[in-house]
Amino acid sequence: MRSISDTIERLSKLRMSKGQAHVPDGRLSDFGPFGTNPGGLEARAHLPTGLLPRSPLVVVLHGCTQTASAYDHGSGWSRLADDYGFAALFPQQTRSNNANTCFNWFVPGDIERDRGEAVSIRQMIETVATRYDIDRSRIFITGLSAGGAMANVMLATYPEVFAGGAIIAGLPYGTASTVPEAFDRMRGHGVPDAKTLQSLLRNASSHTGPWPTISVWQGTRDATVVPSNAVSVADQWRGVHGVPQKADLVETVDGHIRQVWKSSDGRDVIEHFSINAMGHGTPIDPRSGYGKSAPYMLDAGISSTLHIARSWGLVASFDKCKEPDLDFDLPVPPISVATTVPPSGSTSGIQKTIEDALRAAGLMK
């Protein structure tokens, strides 16, 4: 078994060998104040020009060593938001919280409901939803690696908030509480059985349903977060959805295996994509017009961004606003989402509405 220091050194060498690609920062803007922020996170956002009331919201969580802008550049979520008319929120980790900018998916004080990083992300969502009149029945979350694990944290602790979630190279909720345990779980060691995983999920909140749909994505050659974790994530959610261990459908999509579990009324409630021969990262297809190859953003000939958005009902051939722009290096004027925030100390207008909503939700005193 590799030591923790050895694993950290290998990941560091991998990052250096791949280099740091230039990432334009113009598509995301600082979001501004969003509550008490006990987790000490930062918030970025992309609001398409002319965003309509009652639009959906997608929350996107980056992986370790990444920034919100880097993950957006690689995944293409903000461009998809422009084309299909939804808001995109990008929580961002800080080095003061985690030296490798990983979301702290294994720290008890950050992964429990109404605590730490989890409640900071919840406050961001509440602020966006109030400020931009988001359709609360269409809020979704996705993330890669540590961001995928934190997406699962949010789905487990605030299931009433989300209609669906997509976990890419992530881990099941509540299985690690220390750094050594986190590395063991990433390697597939010490992961609880399905019954225990399901109990951890049920005990994360008092929610009794309905439950968010779950999309799981994993490379078959991922040596950082081994593929057995994807199976465990699906297992964890089978209990609340009342589906058996065996998938109802197994098919091939763009050359990759997709398993589907259906509810009693025939809806797809859990899906698991196994991306053939892919390592650790988010599967993208630059030819789709969404995403660009970069470290941990891997051209697998399938766009997880498009497939996930389609499964959430965000993408349909008849409602696209414009053709995708294949040149990702063109400068894009930033869209300010903080200009509606009144000066510090003011509680008038929309800021008061936001603060009242946060208090009503128990997210601010």
Side-chain angles (χ1 to χ4, degrees):
M1 182 183 299
R2 294 189 180 93
S3 67
I4 295 172
S5 59
D6 175 59
T7 301
I8 294 173
E9 182 180 0
R10 289 170 63 246
L11 289 173
S12 178
K13 287 179 179 178
L14 178 61
R15 292 196 300 271
M16 289 187 291
S17 68
K18 292 182 176 180
Q20 296 295 323
H22 170 69
V23 176
D25 293 323
R27 295 196 61 80
L28 306 186
S29 297
D30 289 338
F31 185 69
F34 55 83
T36 56
N37 189 20
L41 300 178
E42 297 174 348
R44 305 284 187 267
H46 181 79
L47 283 300
T49 302
L51 183 72
L52 296 175
R54 312 303 293 167
S55 291
L57 170 66
V58 175
V59 183
V60 183
L61 302 177
H62 62 79
C64 296
T65 77
Q66 294 177 321
T67 63
S69 289
Y71 191 75
D72 177 51
H73 182 68
S75 63
W77 274 107
S78 69
R79 290 190 178 264
L80 200 71
D82 282 340
D83 287 347
Y84 291 95
F86 59 85
L89 170 65
F90 296 79
Q92 182 166 277
Q93 184 59 284
T94 64
R95 292 197 181 277
S96 59
N97 282 347
N98 187 294
N100 289 313
T101 65
C102 308
F103 288 100
N104 287 315
W105 60 272
F106 52 87
V107 176
D110 283 313
I111 66 171
E112 296 174 1
R113 186 179 174 100
D114 297 337
R115 295 187 67 191
E117 292 179 12
V119 75
S120 286
I121 295 170
R122 176 68 183 94
Q123 289 177 343
M124 293 181 203
I125 294 169
E126 184 62 33
T127 302
V128 174
T130 303
R131 186 181 298 173
Y132 297 102
D133 191 19
I134 293 298
D135 182 348
R136 291 175 183 269
S137 70
R138 293 192 293 166
I139 298 177
F140 307 91
I141 191 166
T142 183
L144 165 67
S145 193
M150 186 56 77
N152 203 23
V153 167
M154 297 305 297
L155 291 161
T157 55
Y158 297 100
E160 76 281 5
V161 172
F162 302 101
I167 300 157
I168 305 172
L171 297 101
Y173 171 75
T175 59
S177 59
T178 66
V179 172
E181 286 182 357
F183 276 100
D184 275 348
R185 304 304 176 261
M186 290 164 63
R187 299 176 185 128
H189 302 308
V191 178
D193 61 21
K195 184 177 180 179
T196 303
L197 290 171
Q198 292 167 12
S199 178
L200 288 168
L201 174 60
R202 289 186 183 278
N203 292 335
S205 76
S206 60
H207 189 62
T208 58
W211 298 89
T213 61
I214 301 297
S215 181
V216 183
W217 294 70
Q218 183 79 42
T220 61
R221 294 184 181 175
D222 191 336
T224 302
V225 178
V226 299
S228 61
N229 280 290
V231 176
S232 294
V233 172
D235 281 345
Q236 187 164 55
W237 284 93
R238 285 193 296 102
V240 294
H241 280 297
V243 296
Q245 183 175 8
K246 184 179 179 181
D248 296 294
L249 171 67
V250 179
E251 62 180 352
T252 300
V253 178
D254 294 342
H256 307 284
I257 299 298
R258 176 180 181 253
Q259 300 177 74
V260 182
W261 289 260
K262 295 178 178 290
S263 63
S264 58
D265 59 1
R267 294 181 304 112
D268 294 358
V269 291
I270 304 173
E271 67 176 2
H272 175 193
F273 274 88
S274 296
I275 307 304
N276 186 42
M278 193 185 79
H280 187 63
T282 293
I284 64 166
D285 181 6
R287 293 165 297 182
S288 70
Y290 303 104
K292 191 169 184 177
S293 297
Y296 311 114
M297 312 303 295
L298 308 179
D299 184 353
I302 183 172
S303 172
S304 58
T305 302
L306 269 177
H307 278 274
I308 291 165
R310 186 173 293 116
S311 74
W312 291 341
L314 302 179
V315 171
S317 59
F318 55 82
D319 66 357
K320 187 171 182 180
C321 301
K322 60 183 180 180
E323 290 301 311
D325 181 358
L326 295 178
D327 186 353
F328 284 78
D329 295 319
L330 292 176
V332 178
I335 297 174
S336 174
V337 297
T339 54
T340 58
V341 179
S344 178
S346 171
T347 57
S348 62
I350 194 166
Q351 183 65 17
K352 184 176 186 300
T353 302
I354 292 169
E355 291 181 1
D356 289 345
L358 289 170
R359 290 189 182 96
L363 301 171
M364 184 176 180
K365 295 182 178 180

